[in-house]
Each structure stands twice: as structure tokens, then as C-alpha cells.
Amino acid sequence: MICPHCSKDLIQRQRTGRRCTYCREQFALDPKIDGAGLHDLRIRKAVGKLSDGGRLAVTAGQLNHSLQHRGRPPQKYRGDMGVAAGLFVPGSILTLIGLGTILTPFGPWLLLPGLLLIGFGIRQWALSDVPAPDESVHSRWTEDAFRATVLDRWRTTYGALPPGLVDEGLVRAGPPPAHPAFVLLCPDRTVTAFLHANRYPERHRALLVRDLREVPAGLPLVVLHDASPQGHLLAADARAARPGLRVLDAGLSVRTVLVDETKYTLLRDLHRPEELYLRLERAVPQLTGSQRAWFAEGWWTPLAALAPKRLLALADRAAERITAPPAPRDPAALRTGPVRSPAAGRPENPLETRRRALAVGFMSWPEPGADGAPGGAGGARPDGPDLGRGPA
């Protein structure tokens, strides 16, 4: 790893006790101890990228998500062909030697381990195409593990978190606006802490709540949620609970994630109750078969895993949409269906349409003038319009 203080490349024995042997300065994270690729320079670079060069305040939960694998994790299997070969070859050698020396005192002692190695090798080969139990039910680090591994150790070493990084547990919401323009509902504490840290309620006069029961009556509502069954159900429940009021679903939808899964952090929950999917089918019928199948496999994407700059832009656009006055309706633009008779206000039949067209000279040949030249007022020929031949 690279020393964050003197930029020297350190091997394991040169960073014993999390201290550089060149500059004698202490660092917070060691990739050998704390996880592959987890070191001080990576954390600082990740925070700088997430905070858009210090323009935004980002939460520890967002940093945790940014260090996760994007897209579906690689499939693991119960067996391994390499391990099978490594067991089978020495097992075969020992078995052949044991059979050749079966009549000696050492023969059975060589034959038995050889057969055991062959048996374990065959088992590894047989299980090499059997998927292992899924390990992506949770993220790489839980909130408590990430706090203990990164945040607490960083504070111990440097005295404070990197510039631009805040602990969502320490973010305090300011006083609610006296006259809020709308309510923003989001059950994710990481997202609401991020919005508070970037003064979203003050900039938009928004009231932030985390529970549908906390939403006051009479105000427009914006719903931010994960791409999960629970998230889509939250938006549906909000609409059902507020009939006649404006409810804007601005959350992360499964349709957006399925456009390109490799751009999103995918987590898996294999312990959802079956009732959840039945309720989702009734409450959100617009989901397609592939979207329901994706949910049925346990996948979901947390809203907090979006890039902070994109997440804030999404919330800003939602505020603009929910507070914008409704566009005036143009009665002419809403008129659809068949042409109606001006006199009766009823649908006009084709014969009436033809008569009105002939009355104004539509698609009729011009009548000859007094000198025999074409001209004069256009009118219908006695035999009606004839597009197959010219004027007589």
C-alpha cells in the first residue's frame, strides 16, 4: 500500500502496527487487515469524488455503498475443479503406491489416504456446477461493521472524519419550515440525513418525514424510495391514503435499474414473505413480468447507493415539479374523436362531410370562364369530382 503521509510504497513488514517505517506516521486502514483495497488514500479519493470536490456533504452510509460491488456479484459454487484436480492427482498416486505395496505393512496406510483424497476430489468435481448459498443478502459491511472498521478508526487516527464526510447519526434536522410548500417522504435515514446536510428543506421549504403516518394533511407529497417491493408499495400506499391530492413518485424504479444493472449496487434479500409479492401484484399492477421476476429473485437497489450529485438533482427536480402550477388546459387540444356537426353537436356522417366539402369546392375541378379559359369560382362538376380525367 502507499503511505498516505510520505507516499512510500509499503510492504507488509514496513507497516506493522499501522505505522509507516519511513516517516513514522500512523494511518487508519490497512488493506491486509481491514479488507482488500481499503486504505486511507482510497477513502479520501472516494469522499472527494462523492462530494463533487467538496461541494456536497455526503454521509458515511453513502461512502459505504460506494465501496460495494456494482452489478450482480459473481456466482459462487459449492465445488471447484481446480481443488478437485489438486486432490485427485496425489490421491491417485498414493492409491497406486498403496496397491503396489498392499502386502507390506505400509501399503494399507498409503491406500487409505489415497482413496480419501480421490473421494474428496470426486465430491469437489460433482459440486463444481452447484451454486453455493447466496452471500449477497447484505452489503459487504453492515452499518455497525463499517462504523467500527472505518469511521471509529479514522477518528482515532486523525481526530475527525475526512472533509466532506458526515456521520448520519450526528446530523441534526433544523426546525421545520413555518409554511412548507410540500412534504418529502423517505424512510431511508441515510438519504434524509444527506438532504438535511445539504440544506434541502431550507432551499425548497420542504418538510422531511420518514413515515407515512407523519405526513400532514393538505400538502403535496413527494415519495423517495428504493428500487424494492417495499419502495414501490410505499408510493402506492401514499396515493391510496391521499386521494385528490398531488402525490409524486420520484423514487428509484425497478424499470430504471433494469436498463443497465452494472451501474447500480444490487443487494439481495432471500427472506421476503410471499405475502409481500401478492400485495405488490395487487397494488402495483403496472409492473412487467421481468420486473416482478427480478423482485422475486430477491434483488433490490438502495436509493442511498446513487451518486450523491445525482440523488440531490433527483430530489431538486421533484421539488420543482411538485411546486410548479398545473399547466392550463387547451380545450382545442383536448378535442379528439370524430368531427361533429356544427348544428347538432353530434358525430357527422360521411355523406354530410362530403356535402360540406363540395359546397366549398374542395377537390373539385375549376369551371371555365366566359372566354372558355379555366377560371371562375371553383365548384363541383355536375357529375361530381373525377380525379381520373381532366376538365372537358
Side-chain angles (χ1 to χ4, degrees):
M1 61 164 277
I2 304 297
C3 175
H5 303 285
C6 65
S7 301
K8 293 287 187 180
D9 193 358
L10 306 177
I11 59 176
Q12 183 63 39
R13 68 171 181 267
Q14 295 173 330
R15 56 180 194 261
T16 304
R18 304 176 191 270
R19 190 177 295 276
C20 175
T21 57
Y22 293 97
C23 64
R24 305 304 301 168
E25 293 288 342
Q26 191 175 15
F27 47 86
L29 303 171
D30 187 329
K32 186 70 174 180
I33 302 173
D34 301 312
L38 196 61
H39 52 83
D40 295 25
L41 291 180
R42 185 186 178 193
I43 295 298
R44 288 174 179 167
K45 183 179 179 180
V47 172
K49 182 178 180 181
L50 292 173
S51 64
D52 194 22
R55 296 179 181 86
L56 301 176
V58 298
T59 65
Q62 291 173 304
L63 175 62
N64 185 8
H65 284 302
S66 73
L67 301 174
Q68 310 298 331
H69 176 81
R70 298 279 175 170
R72 297 199 180 201
Q75 179 64 60
K76 297 182 180 180
Y77 298 91
R78 291 180 178 271
D80 185 272
M81 291 293 291
V83 175
L87 294 173
F88 191 79
V89 172
S92 300
I93 295 174
L94 288 177
T95 300
L96 291 176
I97 296 175
L99 290 175
T101 59
I102 189 65
L103 298 180
T104 65
F106 301 100
W109 293 100
L110 294 175
L111 182 61
L112 181 60
L115 292 175
L116 289 176
L117 289 176
I118 291 176
F120 286 127
I122 293 174
R123 183 177 184 274
Q124 285 288 321
W125 171 78
L127 296 177
S128 61
D129 59 348
V130 178
D134 193 280
E135 298 179 358
S136 61
V137 174
H138 303 292
S139 59
R140 181 179 177 184
W141 295 288
T142 63
E143 181 179 346
D144 293 338
F146 186 77
R147 184 179 301 278
T149 303
V150 178
L151 301 187
D152 293 346
R153 184 165 297 280
W154 196 281
R155 287 193 184 98
T156 301
T157 304
Y158 297 106
L161 296 178
L165 182 65
V166 297
D167 187 348
E168 55 260 54
L170 302 179
V171 175
R172 294 292 177 260
H179 303 285
F182 66 96
V183 182
L184 189 144
L185 169 64
C186 181
D188 193 329
R189 186 184 68 164
T190 296
V191 176
T192 56
F194 166 71
L195 295 177
H196 278 296
N198 290 279
R199 299 184 58 80
Y200 181 87
E202 292 81 1
R203 291 189 293 111
H204 296 289
R205 291 194 302 119
L207 177 64
L208 270 59
V209 299
R210 294 179 53 197
D211 194 301
L212 183 59
R213 293 169 294 184
E214 300 174 6
V215 177
L219 289 175
L221 175 63
V222 173
V223 183
L224 289 180
H225 59 80
D226 305 321
S228 64
Q230 295 88 339
H232 284 269
L233 282 173
L234 177 64
D237 291 343
R239 287 197 181 97
R242 300 170 65 83
L245 295 176
R246 297 181 67 184
V247 177
L248 175 61
D249 181 2
L252 183 60
S253 69
V254 60
R255 180 184 68 255
T256 302
V257 175
L258 289 182
V259 171
D260 188 356
E261 290 183 339
T262 62
K263 295 181 179 180
Y264 298 90
T265 298
L266 302 187
L267 303 180
R268 204 169 190 182
D269 184 358
L270 301 177
H271 306 287
R272 292 172 181 157
E274 187 65 27
E275 294 78 9
L276 181 67
Y277 299 108
L278 297 176
R279 185 168 168 237
L280 183 68
E281 184 175 359
R282 293 191 301 266
V284 194
Q286 61 269 27
L287 292 179
T288 65
S290 60
Q291 294 166 359
R292 296 182 189 280
W294 191 76
F295 280 148
E297 293 175 3
W299 296 109
W300 69 288
T301 295
L303 178 67
L306 289 182
K309 186 176 180 180
R310 178 183 173 186
L311 177 57
L312 189 59
L314 184 149
D316 287 338
R317 288 196 301 271
E320 294 171 0
R321 291 174 58 190
I322 200 68
T323 56
R329 295 187 175 185
D330 184 4
L334 298 176
R335 187 179 298 157
T336 58
V339 178
R340 295 183 176 272
S341 170
R346 54 180 172 75
E348 190 177 66
N349 60 48
L351 182 58
E352 291 176 312
T353 304
R354 178 181 173 86
R355 287 174 179 169
R356 289 201 302 113
L358 292 176
V360 297
F362 180 70
M363 293 186 68
S364 60
W365 291 104
E367 295 294 333
D371 56 356
R381 293 175 55 84
D383 54 352
D386 186 356
L387 301 180
R389 53 188 176 85

